[in-house]
């Protein structure tokens, strides 16, 4: 028997019991005649106490050695109320060494000295630490709760193929050579998109899958080349149905996993998001939308600004402290944007402002009056071409929020963004591409714009943004074959390309396709934001690094010539 109890369950009620524990040595404290050892397993930590006399002189123990001990539960003299077993310890009568260990390359404790690279190289050791272990437990609980919730609401979990044919979905695909079909390739699925639509055609009413997806993109802190989606699809729905149900789902997850009650989710259009925040993923934890000032600068005849395509500004209420003047000045100097200026309205009612040639006290007073600024307020402005100005000012807005600590990771503000553009122009290929994917339905009232104004067509799409991060994305799908063919045409696909890539799917349109739509949530991102973390790698058991490499197993790697020959690649 390796254990009668685990290392996290013994307490005062067990005092006097003879027990057997097994686990790894986390700490050793040598007090001369006595040894104290903290032994750790998946469930927790228990302190052991034994005398030198009870151990063989040649018996060496070190950190991360795996031991089995027998002993009696006794009351601990110096109690540790921070852990469940902190009121007891084990008076050890016998120790067995189950396995020795090399000295670990970093401290296996909650606060470790290991950097990310070394911890990824020895990920199996990193998983022994509570922060990573608990993240994996949280991931399990989230997946379990997702399955339970969707199943209870009539969704059927169905697996779809991973090895598929190439279809353009916006990102590069990983290709897999076929040994038996010479010069032919599979691709790894970027998503189950077509298959879940085929399931709707097959009469499945509601589908879901917690699924691995693959995209040959650059990795970063919030994106991996292989990732997990909560993938869902529903028949006989419109945008409102999908948004209502999945708002309920996300609220349920936050309540069950974190005991957080979310407010109702506001919903704005893509165009309003760009206009108000300069991004399609706005962070609304701080209520600072852009204010357009073109009418004001025209009316007041402000020389440089009145000739600009766009002038915008924001006001931040009573956040400026005179004692932090040096910090603020240093921050403002770091904002590299020549079409940017600011005004400080100090508590003593004096004004400080950017060193811009066109600014003077009269112009400053115009802005102070327009914004109804009070002492302590800060005003920021940007001007120039519409698209670039909004985009750059959106980034500045976030920098300001970070500097002023306006982004509290314990506050959650979800937001639906809907009516995204259906198509966007790709300069490199000189043709249109889908913003979401080619199967996204356009809004019926915009279909007439296809011939002359494709960029103006809005789609029946929606993104869920939480604290400035895209957590989910979906759309109502096309269920009319004529509309689908029109979209293919405007994407520049020939009949031959349509047949080779989507022939099976187009054929399915001949057999009564129902109206349907769905959404996919990034499981890794959802967990990451629930915990207020900055790196999704902390919630993946064996992640890739920011170069898409698994440095622990050394993947990707070269193949031997014989293997390449077998795959007809040489």
């Amino acid at each position: 028997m390796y254990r009668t109890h685990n290392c996290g369950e013994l307490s005062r009620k067990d005092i006097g019991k003879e027990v057997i524990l097994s686990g790894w040595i986390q700490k050793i404290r040598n007090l001369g005649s006595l040894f104290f050892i903290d032994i750790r397993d998946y469930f927790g930590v228990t302190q052991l106490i034994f005398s030198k006399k009870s151990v063989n002189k040649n018996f060496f123990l070190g950190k991360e050695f795996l031991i089995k001990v027998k002993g009696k539960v006794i009351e601990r003299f110096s109690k540790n109320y921070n852990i469940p077993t902190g009121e007891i310890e084990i008076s050890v009568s016998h120790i067995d060494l189950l396995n020795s260990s090399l000295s670990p390359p970093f401290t296996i404790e909650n606060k470790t000295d290991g950097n990310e690279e070394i911890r990824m190289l020895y990920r199996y050791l990193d998983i022994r630490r509570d922060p990573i272990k608990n993240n994996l437990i949280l991931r399990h609980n989230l997946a379990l709760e997702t399955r339970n919730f969707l199943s209870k609401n009539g969704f059927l979990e169905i697996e779809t193929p991973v090895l598929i044919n190439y279809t353009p979905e916006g990102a590069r695909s990983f290709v897999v050579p076929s040994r038996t079909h010479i010069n032919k390739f599979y691709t790894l699925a970027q998503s189950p998109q077509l298959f879940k639509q085929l399931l709707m055609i097959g009469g499945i009413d509601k589908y879901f899958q917690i699924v691995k997806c693959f995209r040959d993109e650059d990795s970063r802190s919030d994106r991996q080349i292989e990732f997990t989606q909560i993938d869902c699809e529903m028949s006989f729905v419109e945008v409102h149905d999908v948004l209502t149900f999945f708002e309920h789902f996300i609220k349920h997850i936050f309540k069950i996993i974190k005991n957080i009650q979310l407010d109702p989710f506001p919903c704005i259009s893509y165009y309003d998001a760009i206009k108000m925040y300069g991004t399609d993923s706005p962070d609304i934890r701080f209520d600072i939308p852009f204010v357009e000032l073109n009418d004001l600068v025209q009316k007041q005849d402000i020389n440089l600004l009145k000739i600009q395509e766009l002038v915008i500004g924001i006001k931040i209420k009573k956040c400026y402290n005179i004692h932090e003047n040096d910090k603020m000045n240093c921050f403002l100097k770091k904002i590299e944007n020549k079409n940017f200026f600011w005004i400080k309205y100090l508590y003593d009612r004096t004004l400080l402002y950017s060193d811009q040639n066109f600014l003077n006290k009269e112009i400053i007073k115009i802005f102070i009056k327009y914004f109804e600024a009070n002492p302590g307020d800060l005003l920021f402005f940007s001007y120039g071409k519409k698209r670039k100005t909004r985009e750059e000012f959106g980034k500045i807005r976030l920098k300001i929020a970070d500097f002023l600590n306006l982004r509290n990771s314990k506050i959650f503000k979800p937001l639906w963004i809907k009516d995204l553009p259906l198509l966007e122009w790709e300069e490199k290929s000189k043709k249109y591409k889908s913003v979401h994917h080619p199967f996204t339905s356009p809004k019926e009232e915009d279909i007439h714009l296809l011939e002359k104004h494709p960029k103006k067509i809005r789609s029946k799409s929606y993104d869920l943004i939480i604290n400035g991060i895209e957590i989910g994305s979906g759309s109502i799908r096309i269920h009319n074959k004529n509309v689908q063919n029109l979209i293919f045409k405007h994407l520049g696909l020939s009949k031959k390309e349509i047949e080779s890539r989507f022939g099976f799917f187009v054929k399915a349109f001949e057999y009564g396709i129902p109206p349907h739509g769905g959404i996919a949530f990034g499981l890794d991102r959802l967990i990451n934001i629930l915990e207020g973390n900055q790196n999704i790698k902390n919630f993946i058991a064996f992640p890739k690094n920011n170069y898409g490499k698994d440095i622990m197993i050394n993947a990707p790697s070269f193949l031997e010539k014989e293997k390449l020959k077998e795959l007809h690649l040489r």
Side-chain angles (χ1 to χ4, degrees):
M1 182 184 292
Y2 285 111
R3 58 189 181 189
T4 57
H5 298 78
N6 65 56
C7 295
E9 68 176 305
L10 295 170
S11 62
R12 290 183 65 90
K13 65 180 174 57
D14 299 299
I15 290 174
K17 287 183 181 178
E18 293 287 339
V19 298
I20 301 172
L21 300 180
S22 292
W24 290 270
I25 295 175
Q26 181 161 302
K27 289 182 181 177
I28 302 176
R29 296 180 293 283
N30 185 347
L31 301 184
S33 61
L34 288 176
F35 278 109
F36 287 92
I37 287 180
D38 287 349
I39 184 176
R40 178 194 68 243
D41 65 6
Y42 171 86
F43 301 96
V45 176
T46 299
Q47 180 169 285
L48 313 177
I49 181 173
F50 57 94
S51 66
K52 274 190 175 180
K53 294 179 182 178
S54 63
V55 181
N56 188 315
K57 289 182 179 179
N58 298 319
F59 192 68
F60 175 75
L61 296 175
K63 283 188 176 182
E64 299 309 312
F65 278 42
L66 192 64
I67 60 173
K68 169 186 167 183
V69 300
K70 292 181 181 179
K72 180 183 285 189
V73 181
I74 61 174
E75 185 173 0
R76 185 166 166 171
F77 177 74
S78 179
K79 294 178 176 60
N80 179 1
Y81 294 105
N82 294 319
I83 59 174
T85 61
E87 293 185 82
I88 59 93
E89 59 191 6
I90 310 302
S91 177
V92 175
S93 57
H94 183 77
I95 298 178
D96 286 325
L97 178 63
L98 298 180
N99 238 321
S100 60
S101 171
L102 295 174
S103 178
F106 53 87
T107 55
I108 302 177
E109 295 179 12
N110 290 357
K111 291 185 178 180
T112 181
D113 56 1
N115 60 33
E116 183 178 272
E117 183 176 3
I118 195 72
R119 290 188 294 109
M120 288 184 67
L121 188 61
Y122 295 92
R123 186 62 165 183
Y124 45 88
L125 296 180
D126 200 26
I127 291 171
R128 292 181 186 176
R129 297 192 310 115
D130 278 350
I132 302 300
K133 179 194 75 179
N134 291 338
N135 285 346
L136 297 181
I137 293 171
L138 177 68
R139 186 186 181 100
H140 162 79
N141 291 337
L142 176 55
L144 184 63
E145 196 56 46
T146 295
R147 282 193 166 93
N148 289 340
F149 182 88
L150 294 175
S151 297
K152 288 175 182 176
N153 282 277
F155 284 75
L156 190 64
E157 184 170 15
I158 302 174
E159 293 181 345
T160 55
V162 173
L163 291 172
I164 64 170
N165 196 17
Y166 170 75
T167 58
E169 289 191 54
R172 286 185 296 270
S173 297
F174 285 100
V175 296
V176 181
S178 171
R179 176 183 59 82
T180 54
H181 302 280
I182 299 173
N183 294 329
K184 291 188 176 181
F185 297 83
Y186 301 99
T187 62
L188 297 180
Q190 292 186 30
S191 77
Q193 184 60 47
L194 291 180
F195 292 100
K196 65 180 179 179
Q197 290 190 243
L198 290 169
L199 287 170
M200 300 300 103
I201 299 172
I204 301 298
D205 194 66
K206 297 185 185 75
Y207 140 96
F208 85 97
Q209 185 180 185
I210 299 178
V211 59
K212 275 281 189 181
C213 300
F214 306 86
R215 292 181 186 174
D216 189 6
E217 298 178 317
D218 296 334
S219 295
R220 58 190 189 208
S221 62
D222 67 343
R223 185 171 68 191
Q224 290 266 296
I225 58 175
E226 58 173 306
F227 57 95
T228 305
Q229 282 187 181
I230 303 170
D231 198 62
C232 307
E233 197 79 4
M234 309 162 75
S235 284
F236 304 107
V237 291
E238 266 296 351
V239 172
H240 173 76
D241 303 305
V242 179
L243 269 52
T244 299
F245 178 81
F246 285 103
E247 177 172 331
H248 179 44
F249 165 69
I250 292 295
K251 285 180 175 178
H252 175 82
I253 290 297
F254 271 78
K255 182 63 179 174
I256 295 297
I257 302 297
K258 299 294 288 184
N259 196 28
I260 292 171
Q261 185 70 50
L262 295 176
D263 293 331
F265 298 5
C267 182
I268 63 173
S269 73
Y270 166 86
Y271 298 95
D272 283 342
I274 297 297
K275 184 178 179 179
M276 294 163 61
Y277 303 105
T279 176
D280 59 358
S281 302
D283 189 339
I284 59 169
R285 281 175 290 182
F286 50 102
D287 184 26
I288 311 175
F290 299 164
V291 177
E292 293 195 10
L293 302 167
N294 287 63
D295 289 344
L296 176 69
V297 299
Q298 290 290 338
K299 184 179 179 180
Q300 297 293 336
D301 195 29
I302 301 175
N303 288 334
L304 176 68
L305 297 182
K306 73 178 183 179
I307 62 172
Q308 302 300 322
E309 197 170 286
L310 180 69
V311 182
I312 49 180
I314 58 176
K315 177 176 81 170
I316 303 178
K317 298 177 182 178
K318 293 189 178 181
C319 63
Y320 181 66
N321 188 325
I322 192 67
H323 301 297
E324 296 180 343
N325 190 42
D326 290 341
K327 286 183 181 179
M328 177 60 75
N329 288 339
C330 183
F331 164 72
L332 292 170
K333 286 177 183 178
K334 289 180 181 178
I335 299 178
E336 298 176 2
N337 189 317
K338 64 181 180 180
N339 294 355
F340 168 76
F341 63 97
W342 47 266
I343 300 169
K344 302 177 188 176
Y345 191 6
L346 305 185
Y347 282 102
D348 62 2
R349 295 187 175 275
T350 57
L351 296 166
L352 295 177
Y353 48 91
S354 300
D355 184 17
Q356 295 257 14
N357 292 332
F358 70 90
L359 282 180
N360 57 48
K361 288 187 177 180
E362 291 305 313
I363 293 174
I364 299 302
K365 287 178 181 178
I366 290 170
F367 288 126
I368 291 290
K369 182 179 179 182
Y370 184 82
F371 276 94
E372 297 179 349
N374 295 306
D377 289 352
L378 271 170
L379 304 179
F380 295 93
F381 304 85
S382 190
Y383 57 90
K385 294 289 184 182
K386 285 184 179 180
R387 183 170 179 175
K388 186 176 180 182
T389 298
R390 286 196 173 102
E391 185 178 311
E392 291 299 320
F393 204 43
K395 295 174 183 176
I396 291 171
R397 174 180 176 270
L398 293 180
K399 288 179 180 178
I400 293 167
D402 286 334
F403 177 77
L404 297 172
N405 296 314
L406 301 178
R407 300 215 277 177
N408 187 336
S409 63
K410 294 181 180 179
I411 294 174
F412 300 93
K413 293 289 184 180
L415 169 73
W416 288 112
I417 304 292
K418 66 175 185 176
D419 299 347
L420 283 82
L422 184 74
L423 304 170
E424 62 183 352
W425 180 255
E426 192 175 56
E427 192 60 38
K428 187 177 180 181
S429 62
K430 300 294 182 185
K431 61 182 181 181
Y432 285 101
K433 70 173 186 176
S434 299
V435 172
H436 267 86
H437 50 65
F439 321 107
T440 300
S441 176
K443 293 177 79 78
E444 285 83 358
E445 60 266 37
D446 289 356
I447 291 177
H448 71 280
L449 298 170
L450 261 175
E451 289 301 329
K452 292 186 178 180
H453 304 287
K455 283 168 50 171
K456 292 184 178 181
I457 300 175
R458 297 165 297 167
S459 64
K460 290 185 176 181
S461 58
Y462 31 82
D463 292 343
L464 179 63
I465 311 301
I466 304 180
N467 295 358
I469 304 295
E470 182 191 308
I471 298 300
S473 183
S475 67
I476 299 301
R477 323 304 185 185
I478 297 169
H479 66 277
N480 181 299
K481 66 178 181 180
N482 295 326
V483 174
Q484 186 65 76
N485 286 330
L486 269 175
I487 299 303
F488 283 151
K489 175 186 172 183
H490 280 83
L491 292 173
L493 295 173
S494 67
K495 287 185 178 179
K496 186 177 179 180
E497 287 174 314
I498 294 170
E499 180 59 35
S500 66
R501 296 179 184 178
F502 307 113
F504 69 97
F505 187 64
V506 172
K507 189 174 183 179
F509 272 67
E510 305 288 344
Y511 295 94
I513 178 170
H516 61 288
I519 193 167
F521 300 96
L523 179 66
D524 312 304
R525 285 187 182 181
L526 184 54
I527 299 173
N528 197 41
I529 204 162
L530 276 164
E531 286 297 282
N533 205 281
Q534 300 294 320
N535 195 334
I536 62 172
K537 291 193 284 289
N538 291 327
F539 301 88
I540 300 171
F542 299 101
K544 307 289 189 291
N545 68 10
N546 284 354
Y547 300 97
K549 290 186 67 176
D550 187 325
I551 60 176
M552 182 181 69
I553 63 172
N554 192 31
S557 59
F558 293 105
L559 288 178
E560 296 173 353
K561 288 182 179 179
E562 285 302 312
K563 189 63 179 175
L564 291 172
K565 187 176 179 181
E566 182 183 322
L567 295 169
H568 314 288
L569 296 176
R570 278 290 174 92

